[in-house]
Amino acid sequence: MHPHWYSTSPDLQRRLISLFILSLAPKSPITTLSPTPSSPQIIFNTELEYTRSPHDIAAVLRWALRHVRLEGDSFGGPNTNPWQWYTAFYETEREKHHPPSAFSEILVPQLPPAHLQLLVSTLELVSSLAAHSERNGISGSKLTKFIGLWLLAAQRTEDGDDWASFYARWERAGRILEHIFLAQIRDEMTRKKMPLRLSELVASYPYTRASTIEEGLLPRPRLSSRRYDALHVRVETQLPDFTTPRPKQHPLRIIADAIKAEVISQSGQYQDIWDAIKR
């Protein structure tokens, strides 16, 4: 990864976020004068010119989602099952044979206003990047998988987590956000013309001809992120405990153990010397 990308430096990410927050401050009364070079808006826009790729935006977005605090214990409202809102959306959409406006008619009424605003704002950013995926190299599927867990799960880790269980939860959250992203594209297409790169993503929705269909999740789209076989190697290392002082042997014990030691040498050249020392 390029060492000057924002995605490689937490300090640069925080700087960009701070400049963005400052740029949201109330603006001064409108005048005929041009903005000064030191105005927060100009500084933020200038900083944006140095972003290297969509990975910078994705890294900053993930940082923000990691630190956001949702109303309630989980996304979608105070439910005992954190995915109840999605299960209801998935089942209702399927029962109604996947209407184009499922996002606005089925999902939107279930979400609290603050959660809906966060979701829509995030999906708008994903759509903006996915519409130019040929140039920037990042698809909507890839980005939704990247941020799904951070957006839709209030509790990202659980007690007793291992790599396999965390990855399964990460992938499920990503596929749920991918489904919602595709549903929103279809909903937008009922009101306006969408970019070609977005409309072709939902051409075969709901992808019933997929090779594998998993219960409770939308089948994997043809243009979804690819899956590859991988080897999981786990290396465990026990770190030394520096808080506990190492036991020290008494000097007499060291001498006693040394005297009991035997010289192992085929030539026996040191045997006489060692016998003399022991006497």
Side-chain angles (χ1 to χ4, degrees), residues 4-275:
H4 299 294
W5 282 355
Y6 285 100
S7 52
T8 63
S9 174
D11 292 335
L12 291 176
Q13 294 174 22
R14 286 191 287 269
R15 170 178 168 78
L16 187 61
I17 293 168
S18 299
L19 291 176
F20 172 69
I21 294 174
L22 291 175
S23 69
L24 299 178
K27 298 179 176 58
S28 58
I30 299 176
T31 64
T32 57
L33 300 177
S34 301
T36 61
S38 60
S39 65
Q41 184 66 43
I42 296 298
I43 295 176
F44 175 66
N45 291 337
T46 303
E47 190 73 15
L48 283 181
E49 296 178 1
Y50 292 96
T51 55
R52 295 293 190 268
S53 78
H55 297 282
D56 299 335
I57 301 175
V60 173
L61 179 60
R62 184 178 62 176
W63 184 94
L65 292 175
R66 283 207 327 263
H67 292 80
V68 72
R69 292 191 177 183
L70 296 173
E71 295 179 357
D73 297 332
S74 62
F75 187 89
N79 300 316
T80 55
N81 180 5
W83 300 111
Q84 181 177 345
W85 60 273
Y86 173 73
T87 303
F89 167 68
Y90 170 80
E91 294 178 351
T92 306
E93 183 191 33
R94 186 176 59 175
E95 292 172 359
K96 294 186 176 182
H97 305 288
H98 303 91
S101 56
F103 179 86
S104 58
E105 294 181 359
I106 301 175
L107 180 61
V108 169
Q110 297 187 56
L111 301 179
H115 295 196
L116 177 61
Q117 183 180 6
L118 175 63
L119 176 63
V120 172
S121 300
T122 304
L123 292 180
E124 287 178 352
L125 179 59
V126 174
S127 297
S128 299
L129 292 172
H132 305 281
S133 58
E134 281 191 345
R135 286 190 297 174
N136 57 40
I138 185 166
S139 64
S141 172
K142 184 185 298 184
L143 191 53
T144 51
K145 297 284 183 61
F146 188 71
I147 63 177
L149 180 69
W150 311 108
L151 174 64
L152 302 179
Q155 185 175 357
R156 284 72 184 253
T157 59
E158 296 180 358
D159 295 336
D161 247 353
D162 57 9
W163 187 89
S165 61
F166 174 80
Y167 179 80
R169 192 167 58 257
W170 175 87
E171 184 185 31
R172 176 177 173 80
R175 290 187 59 185
I176 288 175
L177 185 58
E178 181 184 29
H179 179 187
I180 298 172
F181 165 64
L182 297 172
Q184 193 213 27
I185 292 177
R186 299 181 74 228
D187 191 84
E188 291 288 327
M189 290 176 63
T190 62
R191 296 187 294 272
K192 62 182 180 181
K193 185 177 181 180
M194 298 293 287
L196 176 62
R197 289 293 171 261
L198 296 181
S199 59
E200 67 181 4
L201 295 178
V202 296
S204 302
Y205 193 95
Y207 319 107
T208 53
R209 296 184 179 180
S211 57
T212 58
I213 298 178
E214 301 174 47
E215 185 64 28
L217 289 173
L218 186 75
R220 294 181 184 274
R222 182 179 63 85
L223 298 177
S224 181
S225 55
R226 298 180 181 179
R227 305 179 70 188
Y228 298 94
D229 293 333
L231 177 64
H232 177 211
V233 179
R234 180 174 179 175
V235 179
E236 294 185 356
T237 303
Q238 185 175 1
L239 299 177
D241 187 3
F242 295 102
T243 60
T244 304
R246 298 179 61 182
K248 295 182 179 179
Q249 288 185 324
H250 195 277
L252 295 179
R253 171 59 62 183
I254 296 176
I255 296 175
D257 293 340
I259 292 176
K260 294 178 182 178
E262 299 292 335
V263 176
I264 301 176
S265 176
Q266 295 180 354
S267 61
Q269 57 180 339
Y270 300 111
Q271 185 66 43
D272 295 337
I273 299 175
W274 185 241
D275 290 340

